[in-house]
């Protein structure tokens, strides 16, 4: 049902209904139209609900599967009727869609033996694919033209030219394909984990060393997109954010020089610049990059939600907690919020836990109807993927569980969680790449030892706090997502929530 719901949402947001074409695709009054309308109006969300609406308890419900299949096929066919020219797509994205529609039309003409029109369409299309650097489609067109000029036309000059061009773009395509494969191989390590990856950094260096010589002689869009992102991963792996910023600025300059608006690469490298600003504590510069990205991302897209994460982090790191709450509220209540993508949905679940901690200690003040309910037990069930990320996001999860229990004065729960975290400290948090996390956990361990007395905690953790401050966030070997609130700030909030009296252990 989810695939059909996705198609209905796509078609329903276009002009097919207003210009009458939808009535041609779906017979008015038919069960197919009823099913479409029910999905479009969000009246149903499952196959069982659809059967009940259309057939009740009738035995005819056995025909539902066939009806659903036919509706899906009709909608897939109608995709070719969609007009993307008035959409929010960039010039290159519109060109991409238009080129593939023209390619499909030309191939249909050739299959129907309409060679004059088919070849004419391909020759015109070739100029566009070359201009917008659609290498794979350029190769497909040249392959057909090469065969046409040799076996049908016998035009030696045009055949030689098509053959030479094919070989040139074949080399470019092979390097583009290699760069995309290398980037995918590196990124699979990061998708569900935020901890450091030494092996990934080593592989990134090897991959980039292989791609760089060709990049110096070829300005291919796709090659430079993936090649430069691999270059970024090298320095991300060693947390050299100043170097990452330089690479991103150079990449933005490169893509800005294209004769068309590049779109995706600019989004990618501005996003990374915002991350660098966050880590280097250059908040004004980060806000400037944020302002530049407004309008670049399609609202509700995967990249738009990832950008909202950075907006949220910038607000949290600058102490604008209520602004962070507004970003959270806007994101998780968006109709396109990707509940089925753990890399996004679980991050926002963790953010919610930190926001409710801030609400609990009066750093965020909301109306009675805004706050909602928060249960730590339910929260733990919402983060199955990141709970396994032992040296990454699980650190943020453990910390907020302790601090939330502390904010509720639930000292028994605090003690139990801290007792459990001692084994975790030695097993997963090595000094090299989790120094700040290691130090902060040790500070938390002092809470029950000092019986939660504020002055005693300050004395006991003084040396550890200096150690934490000696390795500031901008030079720490850890990914930027781990500290949702910088540990120095989080510790100040922790101290502020402690009492001036001893809490006796039971």
């Amino acid at each position: 049902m989810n695939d059909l719901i996705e198609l209905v949402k796509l078609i329903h947001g276009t002009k097919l209904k207003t210009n009458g074409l939808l009535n041609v695709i779906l017979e008015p009054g038919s069960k197919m139209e009823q099913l479409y309308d029910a999905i479009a109006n969000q009246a149903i969300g499952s196959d069982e609900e659809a059967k009940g609406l259309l057939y009740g308890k009738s035995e005819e419900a056995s025909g539902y599967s066939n009806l659903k299949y036919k509706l899906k096929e009709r909608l897939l066919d109608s995709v070719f009727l969609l007009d993307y020219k008035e959409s929010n797509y960039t010039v290159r994205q519109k060109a991409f869609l238009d080129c593939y529609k023209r390619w499909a039309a030309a191939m249909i003409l050739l299959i129907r033996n309409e060679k004059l029109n088919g070849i004419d369409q391909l020759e015109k299309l070739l100029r566009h694919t070359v201009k917008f650097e659609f290498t794979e489609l350029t190769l497909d067109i040249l392959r057909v033209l090469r065969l046409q000029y040799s076996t049908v036309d016998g035009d030696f000059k045009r055949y030689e030219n098509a053959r030479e061009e094919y070989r040139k773009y074949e080399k470019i395509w092979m390097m583009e394909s290699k760069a995309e494969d290398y980037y995918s191989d590196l990124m699979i390590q990061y998708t569900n984990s935020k901890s450091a990856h030494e092996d990934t950094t080593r592989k990134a260096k090897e991959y980039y060393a292989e791609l760089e010589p060709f990049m110096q002689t070829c300005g291919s869009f796709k090659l430079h997109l993936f090649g430069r992102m691999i270059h970024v991963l090298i320095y991300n792996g060693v947390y050299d954010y100043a170097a990452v910023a330089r690479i991103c600025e150079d990449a933005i300059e490169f893509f800005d020089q294209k004769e068309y608006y590049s779109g995706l690469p600019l989004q990618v490298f501005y996003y990374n610049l915002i991350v660098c600003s966050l880590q280097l504590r250059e908040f004004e510069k980060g806000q400037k990059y944020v302002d530049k990205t407004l309008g670049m991302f399609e609202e509700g897209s995967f990249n738009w939600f990832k950008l909202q994460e950075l907006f949220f982090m910038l607000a949290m790191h600058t102490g604008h907690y209520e602004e962070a709450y507004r970003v959270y509220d806007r994101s998780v209540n968006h109709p396109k919020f990707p509940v089925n993508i753990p890399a996004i949905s679980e991050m926002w679940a963790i953010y919610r836990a930190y926001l409710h901690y801030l609400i609990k200690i009066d750093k965020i003040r909301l109306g009675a109807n805004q706050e909602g309910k928060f249960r730590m037990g339910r929260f733990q069930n919402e983060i199955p993927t990141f709970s396994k990320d032992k040296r990454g996001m699980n650190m943020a999860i453990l910390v907020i569980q302790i601090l939330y229990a502390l904010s509720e004065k639930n000292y028994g729960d605090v003690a139990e969680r801290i007792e459990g975290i001692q084994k975790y400290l030695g097993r997963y948090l090595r000094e090299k790449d989790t120094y700040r996390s290691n130090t902060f956990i040790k500070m938390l361990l002092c809470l029950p030892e000092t019986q939660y007395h504020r002055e005693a905690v300050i004395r006991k953790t003084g040396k550890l706090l200096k150690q934490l401050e000696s390795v500031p966030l901008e030079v720490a070997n850890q990914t930027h997502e781990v500290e949702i609130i910088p540990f120095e700030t989080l510790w100040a909030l922790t101290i502020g929530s402690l009492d001036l009296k001893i809490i006796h252990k039971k």
Side-chain angles (χ1 to χ4, degrees):
M1 175 59 82
N2 288 336
D3 55 347
L4 187 57
I5 292 173
E6 184 180 75
L7 270 175
V8 170
K9 284 182 179 179
L10 170 66
I11 301 298
H12 204 65
T14 67
K15 293 184 177 180
L16 289 184
K17 188 167 186 177
T18 56
N19 60 22
L21 285 174
L22 196 59
N23 290 334
V24 177
I25 299 167
L26 307 173
E27 296 85 353
S30 65
K31 286 200 179 299
M32 191 178 291
E33 186 189 50
Q34 292 175 37
L35 177 58
Y36 174 91
D37 287 340
I39 295 172
N41 297 325
Q42 299 181 356
I44 58 173
S46 67
D47 290 323
E48 290 70 25
E49 291 175 349
K51 288 179 186 178
L53 178 69
L54 296 173
Y55 301 100
K57 296 182 179 180
S58 169
E59 294 181 0
E60 295 179 7
S62 59
Y64 169 73
S65 295
N66 189 44
L67 176 69
K68 189 173 78 165
Y69 172 78
K70 287 183 177 179
L71 174 59
K72 183 178 177 180
E73 290 299 303
R74 294 270 183 97
L75 296 180
L76 286 172
D77 288 340
S78 67
V79 167
F80 289 97
L81 302 174
L82 301 180
D83 182 8
Y84 295 98
K85 293 181 180 178
E86 296 181 5
S87 66
N88 294 325
Y89 295 126
T90 65
V91 172
R92 190 173 189 272
Q93 287 172 323
K94 290 176 182 177
F96 180 85
L97 295 167
D98 185 58
C99 284
Y100 269 94
K101 285 174 71 174
R102 290 176 181 273
W103 161 255
M107 294 309 294
I108 290 171
L109 288 170
L110 291 175
I111 290 170
R112 297 296 297 270
N113 212 31
E114 300 289 339
K115 294 189 180 297
L116 289 177
N117 285 303
I119 295 299
D120 180 61
Q121 283 293 307
L122 289 180
E123 289 173 340
K124 290 177 180 177
L125 180 57
L126 182 61
R127 293 194 290 270
H128 290 284
T129 61
V130 170
K131 174 184 176 181
F132 289 102
E133 302 181 88
F134 303 142
T135 308
E136 193 168 351
L137 186 52
T138 297
L139 273 178
D140 284 334
I141 295 169
L142 286 169
R143 176 179 50 79
V144 175
L145 293 178
R146 180 182 60 181
L147 197 62
Q148 171 73 20
Y149 296 152
S150 67
T151 62
V152 179
D153 298 345
D155 190 325
F156 188 82
K157 184 177 180 181
R158 297 175 84 183
Y159 161 72
E160 278 293 310
N161 182 61
R163 189 184 187 201
E164 185 179 335
E165 287 292 291
Y166 184 90
R167 288 176 174 176
K168 181 181 79 173
Y169 284 103
E170 186 179 37
K171 289 179 182 177
I172 296 173
W173 175 81
M174 289 175 67
M175 292 305 294
E176 288 179 349
S177 181
K178 186 173 285 189
E180 184 175 16
D181 175 62
Y182 286 168
Y183 180 72
S184 300
D185 185 49
L186 295 169
M187 285 306 296
I188 189 64
Q189 306 299 324
Y190 285 99
T191 303
N192 292 326
S193 175
K194 304 302 181 184
S195 58
H197 301 271
E198 292 180 9
D199 186 57
T200 304
T201 303
R202 178 188 57 77
K203 287 170 68 174
K205 288 180 180 179
E206 294 174 2
Y207 290 160
Y208 185 72
E210 185 178 346
L211 297 171
E212 186 184 19
F214 197 79
M215 290 172 64
Q216 290 177 350
T217 60
C218 176
S220 157
F221 178 96
K222 198 171 184 179
L223 173 64
H224 277 263
L225 171 59
F226 290 112
R228 289 171 184 268
M229 287 198 290
I230 290 171
H231 199 192
V232 164
L233 288 176
I234 294 172
Y235 293 95
N236 259 341
V238 294
Y239 308 100
D240 187 348
Y241 295 103
V244 172
R246 289 192 296 270
I247 294 167
C248 291
E249 288 168 352
D250 183 62
I252 289 169
E253 184 179 355
F254 171 84
F255 285 103
D256 267 340
Q257 290 174 355
K258 296 286 184 184
E259 58 179 301
Y260 51 80
Y261 176 67
S262 295
L264 177 62
L266 297 179
Q267 295 175 14
V268 167
F269 293 112
Y270 270 118
Y271 177 92
N272 277 280
L273 278 175
I274 297 171
V275 172
C276 292
S277 300
L278 183 66
Q279 292 296 97
L280 296 171
R281 322 291 280 176
E282 297 174 344
F283 297 114
E284 290 184 5
K285 189 178 286 188
Q287 192 60 53
K288 181 185 72 174
Y289 294 139
V290 166
D291 294 340
K292 282 191 175 184
T293 59
L294 294 176
M296 279 189 183
F297 295 82
E298 180 186 354
E299 187 172 321
S301 66
F302 178 88
N303 287 339
W304 183 83
F305 281 107
K306 296 302 290 183
L307 185 65
Q308 300 313 302
E309 288 183 18
L310 281 187
F311 287 179
F312 178 89
M313 291 289 282
L314 270 173
M316 292 290 271
H317 277 237
T318 52
H320 295 89
Y321 300 132
E322 292 190 0
E323 177 62 28
Y325 186 91
R326 284 190 285 271
V327 174
Y328 165 82
D329 189 57
R330 180 174 68 242
S331 300
V332 298
N333 291 314
H334 195 281
K336 293 184 178 180
F337 183 73
V339 292
N340 296 320
I341 302 179
I344 292 182
S345 61
E346 291 192 22
M347 282 300 296
W348 287 102
I350 297 171
Y351 293 161
R352 186 179 78 253
Y354 275 81
L355 288 172
H356 277 271
Y357 167 68
L358 293 171
I359 292 169
K360 203 76 176 174
I361 62 173
D362 291 327
K363 294 298 178 181
I364 297 178
R365 297 184 181 182
L366 303 172
N369 297 327
Q370 288 180 284
E371 185 174 328
K373 294 181 179 179
F374 178 75
R375 295 184 178 90
M376 185 57 70
R378 181 181 175 186
F379 162 66
Q380 290 174 266
N381 294 329
E382 293 174 338
I383 47 173
T385 302
F386 283 145
S387 293
K388 300 172 186 176
D389 185 17
K390 297 302 183 184
R391 287 166 52 233
M393 288 312 296
N394 195 45
M395 173 64 201
I397 295 166
L398 292 171
V399 166
I400 198 57
Q401 288 173 334
I402 292 171
L403 296 188
Y404 193 82
L406 188 65
S407 71
E408 291 193 312
K409 310 294 185 185
N410 189 345
Y411 299 108
D413 193 17
V414 173
E416 285 181 17
R417 293 190 181 278
I418 286 179
E419 184 178 344
I421 212 171
Q422 286 178 306
K423 294 180 181 179
Y424 181 94
L425 184 68
R427 186 176 298 175
Y428 299 109
L429 299 185
R430 298 181 300 170
E431 291 286 338
K432 182 179 177 182
D433 61 352
T434 55
Y435 181 84
R436 284 176 60 82
S437 298
N438 190 312
T439 306
F440 190 69
I441 288 292
K442 288 178 179 177
M443 294 165 75
L444 291 177
L445 293 176
C446 295
L447 293 175
E449 292 176 10
T450 54
Q451 296 179 292
Y452 309 98
H453 186 272
R454 184 186 299 176
E455 296 301 326
V457 169
I458 292 172
R459 287 194 302 271
K460 180 80 172 177
T461 59
K463 185 178 179 180
L464 289 170
L465 181 58
K466 288 181 180 178
Q467 291 175 3
L468 180 68
E469 293 170 340
S470 70
V471 184
L473 191 58
E474 57 267 28
V475 299
N477 289 343
Q478 64 181 41
T479 184
H480 72 275
E481 289 98 338
V482 171
E483 292 188 40
I484 296 169
I485 298 174
F487 287 148
E488 292 88 346
T489 305
L490 207 52
W491 185 245
L493 296 175
T494 303
I495 293 297
S497 64
L498 297 175
D499 291 316
L500 290 173
K501 62 181 181 179
I502 293 174
I503 306 297
H504 293 284
K505 297 177 182 178
K506 292 183 181 180

